[in-house]
Amino acid sequence: MTTALETTARWRAVAAETGAADRAAAEAGIQLAYWQAGLPAPERVIWTGSPLEAAATAMRMVAQGETGRCVRDAVRTRPWAAERQRRHTALGPVGWAERWALTGGQLWDATASLADRIRTGVVEALAEEPEDAAAVRLVLLDAVLGQQDAAWLAAFDDEAGTLEGVSAVARNAGWWWPYERVVVIAERPVELHRDEAGRLDRGDGPALTFPDGFALYAWRGMPVPAAFLAGLAGLTPDRIRTEENAELRRVMLEYYGYDRYLAESGARPLARDETGILWRIDLADDESVAMVEVVNSTPEPDGTHRTYWLRVPPATTTAREGVAWTFGLDAEGYAPERQT
């Protein structure tokens, strides 16, 4: 029997899968999902290059009366609720909570945040005027999330039951819009770049790219304009100081390096003691950045001593207080036997 660990690993791979969809397998999954819901098979399956193109296609076809009603509740929501109830009854509240913690709970943050970012990107691209956003969000409610449904599907994996068709689509394609007569379905991304925390992250191009060119740019999870990333290579301390957007200025500092910024901006130390040196960067319209410079007492193989920079709370007044804070202590309680 497949273990929870193996199940989670398999669905984590599904959620991060890039490259061309297996269209035949995905369409077979659609047929099965409709059959399991007691619905006639859709007359057409329309493939698109991204959730953006799919949402635009669905909006147009719904407006023209070509789709029939949305059947998302029948093919995804009600079967999902039934499977969850069945599992909850079989395992009990504690058993179900343990099952979720070992499977879907491991994938939830990464899949949910990515789905939210895609939704935001679609709304921004399709809503030419602010009043148009509501209509775009409405059609997004019709979508089944395909591979981004991995968290819930992982929890039901060993007994998918009436979600077998939905699971098959998720393993082989991206988002899809199920209607009575038509299914609109999107390809998976061709590129996906994330940091160790699972957030969208790339400094030299789009973090998420689809075959039709729809792309999202992000630095450590924060959405940024494409032109902004292009300018990171030429950053200077003056350019960082004059950036009016506080969030973008933080990105610039992270990219440039706090230590490098301190060295090149002529910053002066605020305090020094036996643990290190406290530096502060004052930023307009934003909280100050406090850093403690510490030197590793253990030499490197070449005999040198490596310097580390520790980000500490802005109100920190001494280097010792800052280093103690990184260990969850106050300055009086910090008494290391050996500094490393």
Side-chain angles (χ1 to χ4, degrees):
M1 183 176 177
T2 303
T3 66
L5 183 64
E6 291 169 334
T7 295
T8 302
R10 183 167 63 250
W11 281 102
R12 179 177 283 110
V14 169
E17 184 71 28
T18 58
D22 185 332
R23 295 192 174 191
E27 291 187 19
I30 290 169
Q31 298 278 341
L32 178 57
Y34 273 61
W35 179 81
Q36 289 182 308
L39 297 171
E43 299 167 8
R44 286 192 292 165
V45 175
I46 300 173
W47 282 89
T48 63
S50 70
L52 172 61
E53 184 185 354
T57 300
M59 287 182 69
R60 183 182 68 254
M61 296 186 72
V62 168
Q64 295 172 351
E66 300 178 39
T67 62
R69 66 183 176 88
C70 178
V71 295
R72 182 182 187 274
D73 282 353
V75 301
R76 191 272 188 190
T77 305
R78 288 200 293 271
W80 172 88
E83 291 299 330
R84 183 185 183 281
Q85 183 59 51
R86 184 165 66 88
R87 183 58 59 89
H88 192 277
T89 299
L91 298 177
V94 174
W96 166 251
E98 291 175 348
R99 173 71 182 179
W100 172 255
L102 292 172
T103 55
Q106 302 291 316
L107 309 178
W108 178 256
D109 288 344
T111 54
S113 63
L114 182 56
D116 285 344
R117 183 67 188 93
I118 291 171
R119 288 190 192 95
T120 300
V122 170
V123 172
E124 290 174 347
L126 293 182
E128 297 181 2
E129 302 294 337
E131 58 269 23
D132 299 335
V136 180
R137 293 191 183 97
L138 193 61
V139 81
L140 286 170
L141 292 177
D142 293 345
V144 181
L145 302 186
Q147 63 189 126
Q148 264 75 62
D149 266 336
W152 285 112
L153 295 173
F156 304 138
D157 182 80
D158 56 348
E159 295 182 51
T162 54
L163 285 172
E164 187 178 351
V166 173
S167 296
V169 181
R171 290 193 299 269
N172 294 287
W175 292 24
W176 54 294
W177 277 252
Y179 298 98
E180 282 183 305
R181 299 194 296 272
V182 175
V183 167
V184 181
I185 187 167
E187 282 281 353
R188 293 183 294 214
V190 293
E191 285 190 81
L192 173 61
H193 302 269
R194 294 189 287 193
D195 63 11
E196 63 280 355
R199 301 170 300 183
L200 286 178
D201 178 46
R202 189 179 179 189
D204 59 353
L208 182 70
T209 309
F210 287 89
D212 64 353
F214 175 50
L216 300 175
Y217 295 78
W219 173 264
R220 297 183 182 176
M222 195 187 92
V224 296
F228 173 80
L229 289 180
L232 288 180
L235 280 179
T236 64
D238 284 343
R239 171 69 185 90
I240 295 171
R241 274 194 298 269
T242 57
E243 173 55 52
E244 295 181 356
N245 185 302
E247 289 186 334
L248 295 182
R249 190 164 57 232
R250 291 192 199 106
V251 172
M252 290 176 170
L253 279 168
E254 289 180 359
Y255 185 91
Y256 197 74
Y258 293 105
D259 53 343
R260 183 183 173 193
Y261 180 86
L262 287 167
E264 296 182 7
S265 64
R268 295 182 179 181
L270 184 68
R272 87 174 60 222
D273 54 40
E274 73 283 359
T275 60
I277 304 173
L278 174 66
W279 300 81
R280 177 170 291 126
I281 305 170
D282 293 319
L283 302 172
D285 303 319
D286 199 2
E287 68 177 14
S288 298
V289 173
M291 307 286 294
V292 177
E293 178 185 357
V294 297
V295 177
N296 189 354
S297 61
T298 303
E300 300 294 311
D302 62 0
T304 61
H305 292 262
R306 188 172 180 180
T307 299
Y308 292 91
W309 296 83
L310 308 176
R311 179 85 181 265
V312 297
T316 301
T317 58
T318 68
R320 182 183 184 84
E321 179 187 350
V323 174
W325 176 84
T326 66
F327 289 98
L329 303 171
D330 57 26
E332 291 72 22
Y334 176 65
E337 295 181 3
R338 180 184 180 189
Q339 185 181 12
T340 59

